[in-house]
Amino acid sequence: SGPASLAAALYGARTKIRTVVLKGNQPGGQLTGTSYIENWPAIKKIRGIEVVKDFEEQAARFGALMVGDSAVSIDVAEWPYLVKTEEGRELRALAIFVGTGATGRRLGIPGDFEYWGKGVTNCAICDAPYHKGDIVAVVGGGDSAIEQSLELSHYAKEVRMLVRSDFLRASPSMIERLDACDNVTIIFNTSLVSINGSNDHVTSVDVINNKTKEQQRWEGVRGVFLAIGHIPNTQMLEGKIRLDTNGYIELNGRAQTTSLPGIFAAGDVADPRYKQAGVAAGDGIKGGLDAVWWLSEIGYNTQVERKLETAFF
Ligand code: NDP
């Protein structure tokens, strides 16, 4: 029930296709973990939870059925595909849109969960503008960490990129781009130990040098940006549709179709590159349309719909 799925559901429901949304364990997805969104096209500033609420109501108004339950398995051995849910529901689906998103890796250290959305985040594009003149820490040594550091360098006074080893996983071309930023420092062999704060915002971090084991408190750090990778939520699809080596769903060219007919995907579960709510919504629309067109190609029409209505709903 993130932006990809809700956009797909809107397009499915508006075309009068019986559309069921399994909302999952975190209804609204990652958007509900952010504070304000300032990059949702045409809306200057809005809370993430409000976008989700409006999105849900809009899809529901056209007939999408919102179900507070989670898919636990998808059986693709027979068609219509069988989706089983946590609460024991069994749904036979002619088409499935997968918008299960990705879960940002977390550190699991003190303060990580407590200050999430209050200075701790994994989205510099979303939150960098709130850190004008601040000292911020970015954790990770991959392309995302560099991307977040570059984004933050436009706003923050000082960006400290913490790399746990003495090695950057990022690509040379990304590393080169850091040369032009004199307010970004890479600090190797260093990990966060705790994130500290008061009155709902981060005020300092404790770090450890992994070689010397020396610990320090850095006062004045106002933001912690985690860039330690994402895990796409594709566990129930392993061995069923084509995934890339990192577990993301592979799509066919510009379409949101997957390696199995009738299964469509969009959003972070199929997109290791952009990871933006707006992109997920746009690709969700494409996925919804791809599903509608595919159903129409295989003969779905109002008569079929009426039969399904009596037999299944
Ligand atoms: P990566 O897996 O490439 O990098 C993750 C980084 O986080 C590594 O430096 C890793 O350290 C570190 N890390 C992991 N766990 C911890 C931890 N618990 N504590 C501290 N550090 C930790 O993930 P990215 O999200 O950066 O990139 C994912 C993919 O997306 C890559 O293929 C990347 O190339 C691509 N990408 C491309 C971009 C571009 O081209 N512009 C932008 C962003 C991403 P270690 O090396 O020690 O394991």
Side-chain angles (χ1 to χ4, degrees):
S1 55
S5 298
L6 293 176
L10 172 66
Y11 273 69
R14 277 196 87 215
T15 321
K16 298 263 171 277
I17 284 170
R18 297 298 306 235
T19 305
V20 178
V21 179
L22 293 171
K23 287 170 56 167
N25 288 325
Q26 191 192 348
Q30 293 178 76
L31 270 185
T32 56
T34 63
S35 44
Y36 285 100
I37 301 176
E38 293 178 329
N39 55 5
W40 186 253
I43 306 278
K44 286 183 203 141
K45 187 170 178 177
I46 188 165
R47 282 184 184 280
I49 44 173
E50 276 176 56
V51 171
V52 171
K53 189 173 146 280
D54 287 352
F55 226 149
E56 255 195 60
E57 284 173 8
Q58 190 185 18
R61 192 155 66 95
F62 290 105
L65 189 63
M66 300 289 159
V67 181
D69 198 355
S70 296
V72 288
S73 72
I74 296 177
D75 184 352
V76 296
E78 275 179 34
W79 182 83
Y81 302 127
L82 177 64
V83 181
K84 289 188 179 167
T85 73
E86 210 165 75
E87 293 183 7
R89 292 182 171 89
E90 294 198 353
L91 294 147
R92 283 270 170 204
L94 296 179
I96 297 176
F97 176 90
V98 184
T100 46
T103 308
R105 282 208 182 89
R106 303 290 286 272
L107 289 169
I109 57 169
D112 174 355
F113 286 88
E114 197 179 341
Y115 294 106
W116 188 257
K118 299 167 185 166
V120 185
T121 172
N122 55 13
C123 183
I125 290 179
C126 321
D127 290 355
Y130 305 125
H131 290 282
K132 284 196 183 101
D134 285 352
I135 304 173
V136 296
V138 174
V139 184
D143 284 337
S144 297
I146 294 201
E147 205 168 57
Q148 299 216 27
S149 299
L150 290 169
E151 185 66 27
L152 282 158
S153 71
H154 302 303
Y155 302 91
K157 178 172 74 181
E158 192 186 332
V159 182
R160 299 179 191 171
M161 200 175 124
L162 306 190
V163 181
R164 63 178 169 184
S165 66
D166 52 11
F167 148 83
L168 282 181
R169 194 176 285 279
S171 53
S173 60
M174 290 292 282
I175 298 171
E176 233 171 64
R177 289 176 58 195
L178 276 186
D179 292 345
C181 293
D182 49 17
N183 60 343
V184 180
T185 318
I186 303 176
I187 303 165
F188 287 101
N189 301 307
T190 305
S191 295
L192 280 188
V193 178
S194 72
I195 300 163
N196 319 307
S198 68
N199 294 333
D200 277 357
H201 67 271
V202 175
T203 54
S204 71
V205 293
D206 291 349
V207 299
I208 186 167
N209 181 307
N210 295 321
K211 281 205 163 147
T212 62
K213 302 293 170 209
E214 186 202 342
Q215 285 206 24
Q216 276 182 8
R217 173 157 295 184
W218 289 349
E219 294 289 354
V221 171
R222 300 266 181 232
V224 175
F225 289 76
L226 303 186
I228 55 175
H230 277 79
I231 304 165
N233 299 320
T234 47
Q235 292 77 2
M236 67 184 149
L237 292 163
E238 276 166 19
K240 295 172 186 168
I241 63 174
R242 206 168 56 231
L243 307 176
D244 72 11
T245 48
N246 294 315
Y248 289 89
I249 296 173
E250 276 193 6
L251 301 172
N252 302 315
R254 291 197 66 208
Q256 305 302 131
T257 54
T258 68
S259 58
L260 266 191
I263 301 197
F264 307 85
D268 286 11
V269 74
D271 177 9
R273 183 82 171 89
Y274 297 99
K275 299 176 196 139
Q276 295 301 299
V279 176
D283 285 349
I285 291 175
K286 284 168 60 192
L289 285 172
D290 283 338
V292 167
W293 291 334
W294 181 78
L295 285 168
S296 144
E297 273 164 27
I298 62 163
Y300 189 97
N301 53 35
T302 44
Q303 280 177 19
V304 176
E305 197 215 320
R306 249 176 264 130
K307 276 188 197 157
L308 289 174
E309 173 99 26
T310 5
F312 294 106
F313 280 86

